[in-house]
């Protein structure tokens, strides 16, 4: 079986993420979507919420495994026998950082990193940007899956009500 992993924080998953995951799901038998946990960052959504949202909006692909991981991505790959990491590239500026990570990961365990260019439609999109625009009342509905957009708007309203 050909296996790969699409890692990220996915806080929240965007249409840009879905574009990459969907395209990769056609190339591999099993695609792991690893929600990586950064203990130094507080997310908009809990890890469990992110996993549930990803599972909901990717159900049509049928060959995904969605789970979280604390620690090094190469350990995740080694534990599951995954030989390839998939990284989406939005712009040239992404490449410098991603190349360093790919070389480090390969040096640690031999895992390969494959770069997939994002669709031009989503070349500017990040979860951080979507959250920021939405928090100021901007319309990001075209940038997020419907269920994710609905939940993001609800979460922003909840946080404003707490203030």
């Amino acid at each position: 079986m050909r296996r790969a992993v699409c890692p990220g924080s996915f806080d929240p998953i965007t249409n840009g993420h879905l574009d990459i995951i969907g395209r990769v799901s056609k190339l591999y038998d099993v695609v792991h979507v690893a929600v990586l946990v950064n203990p130094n960052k507080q997310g908009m959504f809990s890890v469990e919420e992110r996993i549930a949202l990803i599972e909901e909006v990717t159900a049509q692909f049928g060959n995904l495994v969605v789970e979280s991981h604390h620690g090094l991505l190469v350990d995740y790959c080694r534990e599951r026998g995954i030989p390839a990491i998939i990284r989406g590239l939005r712009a040239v500026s992404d490449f410098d950082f991603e190349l360093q990570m790919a070389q480090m990961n390969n040096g640690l365990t031999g895992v390969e990193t494959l770069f997939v260019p994002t669709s031009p439609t989503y070349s500017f999109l990040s979860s951080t940007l979507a959250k920021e625009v939405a928090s100021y009342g901007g319309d990001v509905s075209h940038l997020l899956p419907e269920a994710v957009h609905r939940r993001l708007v609800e979460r922003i309203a909840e946080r404003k009500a707490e203030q």
Side-chain angles (χ1 to χ4, degrees):
M1 272 214 196
R2 295 169 308 165
R3 300 162 55 126
V5 61
C6 290
S9 60
F10 303 106
D11 186 34
I13 190 167
T14 68
N15 287 340
H17 293 129
L18 279 181
D19 171 56
I20 298 293
I21 292 168
R23 289 162 51 203
V24 170
S25 74
K26 295 174 186 173
L27 302 174
Y28 287 90
D29 299 313
V30 177
V31 176
H32 292 254
V33 178
V35 179
L36 302 179
V37 179
N38 182 344
N40 299 320
K41 290 171 87 175
Q42 180 183 0
M44 175 73 72
F45 297 100
S46 71
V47 172
E48 295 76 19
E49 289 172 314
R50 289 182 239 171
I51 289 172
L53 284 169
I54 294 167
E55 289 175 338
E56 180 178 347
V57 301
T58 61
Q60 73 273 19
F61 299 130
N63 63 338
L64 303 185
V65 175
V66 183
E67 53 195 357
S68 67
H69 180 70
H70 296 76
L72 294 175
L73 179 59
V74 293
D75 291 337
Y76 178 91
C77 293
R78 183 178 19 229
E79 291 163 6
R80 290 159 182 80
I82 299 171
I85 297 169
I86 307 297
R87 296 298 295 172
L89 294 178
R90 295 171 292 197
V92 172
S93 56
D94 287 345
F95 183 74
D96 289 334
F97 174 77
E98 294 296 344
L99 179 62
Q100 289 176 345
M101 290 299 299
Q103 291 169 333
M104 174 64 80
N105 289 338
N106 184 266
L108 288 171
T109 64
V111 68
E112 295 293 345
T113 299
L114 304 172
F115 299 122
V116 177
T118 190
S119 166
T121 305
Y122 305 117
S123 63
F124 64 92
L125 179 57
S126 70
S127 296
T128 301
L129 186 58
K131 288 184 293 192
E132 185 173 348
V133 170
S135 72
Y136 287 103
D139 180 13
V140 295
S141 59
H142 60 292
L143 304 175
L144 304 170
E146 183 180 336
V148 174
H149 179 256
R150 183 176 55 253
R151 189 66 190 107
L152 178 61
V153 170
E154 289 169 1
R155 179 57 49 89
I156 290 169
E158 290 167 7
R159 288 193 172 176
K160 284 183 180 178
E162 292 171 1
Q163 295 176 348

